[in-house]
Every structure is written in C-alpha cells, then in structure tokens.
Amino acid sequence: MRKRSLAAAVVVALALAPGTLVRTAIPRGDEIDLSIAAIEDVPELVSHDGFTREGVWELSSARLDFGGYSALLVLGADGLRAFSDRGRILTFAAPGRPSPIHTRFATLWNRGELSATVPDSEAATRDPATGDYWVAFENTHSLIRYSRAGEFEAARLPPEWQDWYENGGVEAMARLPDGRFLVLPERADTGFLYPSDPVLAVEPLAFRFAIPEDYNPTDMAALPDGRVLVLLRKLDRAFPPFAAAIAVADPRTVEDGGELEIGLLADLTTILPRENYEALELAGVGEDGTIGLWLMSDDNLSAFQRTLLARISWAGDAPWRKHNEKAREG
C-alpha cells in the first residue's frame, strides 16, 4: 500500500512539473461552460472535531481559462467569485441555492501599473459594507483594491512584502470586522496586521507565527468576534498528496514584534476528499451560532486533480453561540 501511495505521489509531482503538465482538451468558442455536480467519493465520516460536511461538488469546464482557483469571495447569500493563479475570475451561483447570479468568466485585465506583471492571484477579501474587494498576488508581492463593480481603484507593492520568496509570498488575507487586515505568507514566519486598507501607505504591525505539524497557510476567513480561521495544507503520502486542516488564531492579542498563536482545530481529510484546498470563505452564521464555510481547491491546471467546492459547518464554542443560546432561552 505504501509503495502504491508513493508511486501515486510521484505521478502527480511529475504531472505538475514544468514541461510535464497534463491538461484536459481545449474547447473552441467562447460559450459559457460550467458544470457543478455533487460527488459521491467522500469520506464515510461526516463530522469530526466540531466540523461537519454539508456538501462537496466538482466544478468542471472545457474552457482553457478554467481552473487554478486559489481565492474565494462570497457575494451575498447565494453567489461566489473565485480567483485563479492565472488572473482569471469565475463568478457563479452557490450550488443548491436559487440565485439571480449567472455564470461569468472574466480576466483581471484592469491592474493599473501592475498590468505587465503575472497576475498570480492567491488571496482575496471583501468589505461587506461597501462591496470593495482586495486581491493579493504572490509572485509580485502586490495588492489591488477593486470596487463592487470590479473597477480598478488602487494598487501597491508593500515594501514589507518584498523580502518574501517569489513563490512563497502572500497566501492568506482577511479583512477583520474592525476594518484591520491580517496577512500571512506561505513560506515565511513573519506576518502583518494593518490598521486599515493596506493599499494605502499605512504602517503595519509585524508579528511572528508558527504553523503546527508542518502545515502551511493557504487562506483565512474572519470570524464575527475578530478571530480568524486559517486553512492549512501540507504534502502527504497519499493520493492526491495533499492534507488539509483548519486552525484558529486571535489577532486581537498580537503585539508588534510579538507572536500570533495559531491553534490546530481539525484534520479536514477526515470529512473531505483529498485535494489541494487553497480558498476559504465565511458562508454565514446560523441562528444557533454555527459557522458556515466554503472551501475551494486549486487543481494546478492538471488532469490528475479536481476543482472541488465544499461546504462545511463549525459548531465551535464561540461567544456569539452562547449569546444566541441565551437569547433563545429568554
């Protein structure tokens, strides 16, 4: 069994290496082509450590600009927008929910002074009040703010990001409920907490952080109380060779030069199919305080992987849960 697992991992590694990439057939024409289908090859376990699987869907398309999605935004209660590491945008209705949102493929052409750079989108976050959203790019260590309508507003190359590895820069970003922004790189031990919009020339608070069990951060979602859930990934001896987990951190406690504690909550491979999950977004908070979450996987533009969309819920012991329980009792 171990030999088969290692062999499978080698096959995937070769498929993803430069010059050996395997891709599905390229379609002809500009037709809107997106299939969203529930999958059956899911773990037998539905709940683990307070997290429950609500559904898993595979997204597929014959379009050349489909795949590689690394960041996700929720648009209202029934819309999703995914950003790829090739600068593509996919807007679509959440599965199983009636929605006026139509499937739309687009490209991040409007990037201001960054238009000549590679648009490796790795993180995104949104202001629910204004609809403005921010997209962070890994290879260029840059950030762009867009309006609700997707119009370019401002761009910046934060100087504090420029020492990160080219392929190990910003990977997780979240706008906190109080308007601050938390940013974590993939392959570094220093993150930043901004007092406001990081596209502006604001001075961030720098902090150290460590991820447990050799995981790396791939995305974050802000919780109503100011904490964040952190999506984690590491390579494993399995097929596909990715292990996913979720952790929690409280940026309200971090000080300049201090350390942000990140605590592991659950191994997600117990309830979700193995894939390269790189996107995490808050789906909403139920009346009982249960947190809904969307996850999306990056298929690395490989025929050996899938673009999966998963919906899970977390029944963690949180302040808003206790408040809601007392309100119902009263």
Side-chain angles (χ1 to χ4, degrees):
M1 179 64 74
R2 177 174 295 180
K3 289 182 179 179
R4 288 199 298 269
S5 297
L6 288 173
V10 169
V11 170
V12 172
L14 289 174
L16 300 182
T20 60
L21 182 70
V22 180
R23 188 68 167 117
T24 51
I26 298 173
R28 298 184 181 278
D30 296 324
E31 68 278 3
I32 297 299
D33 171 22
L34 180 68
S35 171
I36 304 178
I39 67 172
E40 298 181 355
D41 58 325
V42 294
E44 183 177 350
L45 196 63
V46 176
S47 297
H48 178 67
D49 286 343
F51 288 88
T52 299
R53 181 183 70 243
E54 297 184 358
V56 184
W57 300 265
E58 181 177 2
L59 277 63
S60 58
S61 175
R63 292 178 59 100
L64 180 61
D65 56 358
F66 175 83
Y69 299 109
S70 301
L72 188 67
L73 295 179
V74 168
L75 308 177
D78 49 19
L80 298 171
R81 176 169 293 160
F83 300 85
S84 83
D85 50 20
R86 296 297 183 271
R88 310 298 187 183
I89 306 172
L90 170 61
T91 302
F92 61 103
R97 289 164 171 78
S99 171
I101 293 179
H102 298 289
T103 299
R104 180 173 180 266
F105 289 86
T107 302
L108 277 171
W109 293 119
N110 49 345
R111 294 185 288 119
E113 58 267 37
L114 299 176
S115 294
T117 63
V118 177
D120 183 4
S121 314
E122 289 291 340
T125 192
R126 182 173 180 265
D127 181 351
T130 66
D132 289 350
Y133 61 91
W134 293 256
V135 181
F137 304 89
E138 184 177 46
N139 288 332
T140 54
H141 306 316
S142 57
L143 182 72
I144 297 178
R145 184 181 72 236
Y146 293 94
S147 70
R148 179 191 295 268
E151 299 169 338
F152 173 88
E153 291 189 341
R156 187 170 181 244
L157 285 81
E160 57 274 10
W161 295 9
Q162 303 312 307
D163 291 334
W164 287 338
Y165 292 105
E166 180 179 347
N167 196 34
V170 57
E171 191 77 18
M173 177 175 63
R175 182 187 182 277
L176 305 179
D178 61 7
R180 294 184 298 166
F181 285 73
L182 184 67
V183 175
L184 297 180
E186 181 181 10
R187 292 194 296 146
D189 58 4
T190 298
F192 298 99
L193 181 62
Y194 294 85
S196 59
D197 184 353
V199 165
L200 306 176
V202 294
E203 188 71 22
L205 178 154
F207 58 86
R208 300 183 306 278
F209 70 95
I211 304 294
E213 300 186 15
D214 297 322
Y215 284 101
N216 290 314
T218 60
D219 206 356
M220 280 189 296
L223 296 173
D225 65 356
R227 295 182 298 166
V228 294
L229 291 177
V230 186
L231 181 62
L232 307 176
R233 174 194 59 199
K234 68 179 177 181
L235 293 179
D236 203 356
R237 293 182 178 182
F239 185 81
F242 306 104
I246 198 161
V248 67
D250 191 349
R252 298 171 302 178
T253 64
V254 71
E255 297 180 354
D256 194 27
E259 183 172 354
L260 177 66
E261 295 185 5
I262 299 178
L264 194 64
L265 290 176
D267 175 2
L268 293 179
T269 60
T270 58
I271 61 172
L272 294 179
R274 283 182 174 271
E275 254 307 339
N276 180 33
Y277 296 100
E278 289 203 14
L280 176 71
E281 180 67 311
L282 189 72
V285 182
E287 293 183 358
D288 61 351
T290 300
I291 295 292
L293 298 163
W294 290 108
L295 294 87
M296 195 167 186
S297 69
D298 176 358
D299 69 353
N300 290 308
L301 303 180
S302 167
F304 287 95
Q305 294 177 245
R306 296 181 292 178
T307 298
L308 297 183
L309 177 71
R311 169 107 179 197
I312 64 175
S313 59
W314 179 44
D317 184 18
W320 60 86
R321 168 179 288 277
K322 295 178 181 179
H323 174 77
N324 289 343
E325 289 176 351
K326 288 181 180 179
R328 288 198 305 274
E329 292 173 357

